[in-house]
Amino acid sequence: MVSWYTRTIYDYLAVGAVIILLMVVLNKVLRRLGVNREVATGYSLILPWILGFLIWNIGPFIASFYLSFTDYNGIQSPEFLGFDNYVEMFTDDRNFWPVVRFTLLYSVINVPLGLAGALLTATLLNQNVRGLGAWRTIYYLPAVLPAAATALLWRWMFASDGLINFFIKPALNLFDQSAPGWFTDVDLVLPAYIIMGFWGIFGANTVILLAGLKNIPRDLYDAATVDGAGRINQYRNVTIPMLSPTLFYVLIISIIGSLQTFTVAFFIEQPRRAGTFMNVYIYERAFQRFDMGYASALGWVTLVIILLFTLLVFKSSPAWVHYEGERT
């Protein structure tokens, strides 16, 4: 009897063989159409990626748009409802607006603090100090740690007998206060997530900003020194303007990331009335209540929110983003 593992291996081999056959056929067809040999080979080699993109990205994207107008539980055939899911979302769903408020409030607070912290950390790592390579490695570690492991670590630290309460307990005792329940007290859930968001400061954003700092020509600082500018004026009038394209990029990816927060909240239980993130709510509606149609509608609303914030940043960029060599 063939095991499921062996059948899976056979399936993978069959799919691989079909893709290779399609690559060969595409190459032959392009060559017959008179396409250059190198170009035809290039198109053939990127065919697996194109197929994966069409099947696993564009396909679900289109399907979710259709399902957002249906009643679908993942098993039975979708039943078309028109705009009923969206009407229910904005009028009858008591959880929708608290979830939106929680997600937006978290993003509005976390993104600026995270950007400022990453900029400060990158500036410190840009100094010529001993053991700088080791410090850079240490600060980049959060970017390579699994998100699930990080969430479990923070859950332990914020527990009633966790590390954070252990350190603040002496100060609380002075005021005769008990240790807070970070994920049981409705008023403390959002601050706890914001504190956890600081973890993201020391990671990819810091490395990106550090690369941007390294790319600033030294001649600009020398010219500013000749003009009598101190270190603060150099940072304000040279570093920030020259770093603004990198800040713009980090700001965009930070907004998108914060609005799509999922893993950390998924592994932490909290009171329902405290609110949660949009992606967590989408997961609950799709895979706990099996309301795939409504979850798809929530996903499209989340996409619109992300697009609006991204568009706002793009529209504001001419006022504060400066590119080297750009004429004003």
Side-chain angles (χ1 to χ4, degrees):
M1 182 177 179
V2 181
S3 66
W4 66 268
Y5 180 78
T6 304
R7 289 198 300 270
T8 302
I9 295 296
Y10 288 157
D11 291 340
Y12 276 116
L13 292 175
V15 171
V18 171
I19 292 176
I20 292 175
L21 179 62
L22 290 175
M23 293 171 63
V24 174
V25 171
L26 177 63
N27 185 272
K28 296 294 185 181
V29 170
L30 291 177
R31 292 289 293 144
R32 284 183 175 275
L33 293 176
V35 178
N36 181 277
R37 179 178 180 181
E38 293 183 356
V39 175
T41 302
Y43 279 119
S44 300
L45 292 175
I46 66 173
L47 179 63
W49 181 90
I50 294 175
L51 291 175
F53 180 74
L54 293 175
I55 295 172
W56 303 115
N57 292 90
I58 299 299
F61 189 80
I62 297 174
S64 68
F65 182 73
Y66 167 71
L67 292 176
S68 69
F69 298 99
T70 66
D71 179 14
Y72 181 54
N73 60 10
I75 300 176
Q76 299 174 338
S77 300
E79 179 184 350
F80 189 77
L81 299 177
F83 290 94
D84 288 359
N85 285 331
Y86 294 94
V87 173
E88 177 186 351
M89 187 186 311
F90 290 104
T91 58
D92 298 332
D93 189 349
R94 293 181 298 177
N95 294 320
F96 174 71
W97 290 112
V99 167
V100 172
R101 176 183 174 276
F102 187 91
T103 305
L104 293 181
L105 192 58
Y106 170 80
S107 300
V108 167
I109 298 174
N110 181 68
V111 170
L113 291 178
L115 186 62
L119 178 59
L120 176 61
T121 306
T123 302
L124 293 175
L125 294 177
N126 195 39
Q127 309 303 311
N128 294 321
V129 296
R130 183 177 299 178
L132 186 58
W135 285 109
R136 290 175 179 173
T137 302
I138 292 172
Y139 279 109
Y140 187 68
L141 283 178
V144 298
L145 292 177
T150 302
L152 295 175
L153 175 64
W154 278 107
R155 188 176 70 177
W156 169 75
M157 293 178 64
F158 276 111
S160 58
D161 56 348
L163 192 64
I164 293 179
N165 282 349
F166 174 79
F167 282 111
I168 67 175
K169 188 174 182 180
L172 293 174
N173 290 337
L174 295 176
F175 299 96
D176 195 25
Q177 297 291 324
S178 59
W182 292 96
F183 292 112
T184 57
D185 189 333
V186 175
D187 297 327
L188 294 179
V189 172
L190 181 60
Y193 278 120
I194 292 173
I195 294 173
M196 293 165 61
F198 291 151
W199 179 261
I201 293 174
F202 310 114
N205 288 352
T206 297
V207 173
I208 294 171
L209 291 175
L210 179 60
L213 289 171
K214 291 293 184 182
N215 197 43
I216 299 176
R218 185 63 199 175
D219 296 345
L220 297 178
Y221 292 105
D222 295 337
T225 302
V226 172
D227 290 339
R231 299 196 66 176
I232 295 179
N233 285 330
Q234 289 183 20
Y235 196 84
R236 185 179 62 185
N237 298 314
V238 177
T239 303
I240 296 299
M242 294 301 298
L243 192 63
S244 59
T246 308
L247 290 171
F248 173 69
Y249 171 75
V250 172
L251 178 60
I252 291 293
I253 63 175
S254 297
I255 290 175
I256 296 174
S258 64
L259 290 173
Q260 295 187 101
T261 300
F262 175 77
T263 306
V264 173
F266 180 75
F267 283 93
I268 297 176
E269 295 183 3
Q270 63 194 54
R272 167 56 59 190
R273 63 184 184 279
T276 188
F277 294 97
M278 281 292 293
N279 275 7
V280 176
Y281 188 48
I282 292 172
Y283 174 86
E284 292 176 354
R285 294 300 298 247
F287 299 104
Q288 293 181 0
R289 305 186 192 181
F290 298 100
D291 195 352
M292 301 290 182
Y294 190 81
S296 298
L298 287 171
W300 277 92
V301 170
T302 303
L303 173 63
V304 171
I305 293 174
I306 292 174
L307 289 177
L308 289 176
F309 273 86
T310 304
L311 181 61
L312 181 62
V313 175
F314 268 94
K315 288 294 185 181
S316 67
S317 62
W320 60 278
V321 179
H322 309 280
Y323 295 96
E324 186 177 1
E326 182 182 44
R327 292 184 178 182
T328 58

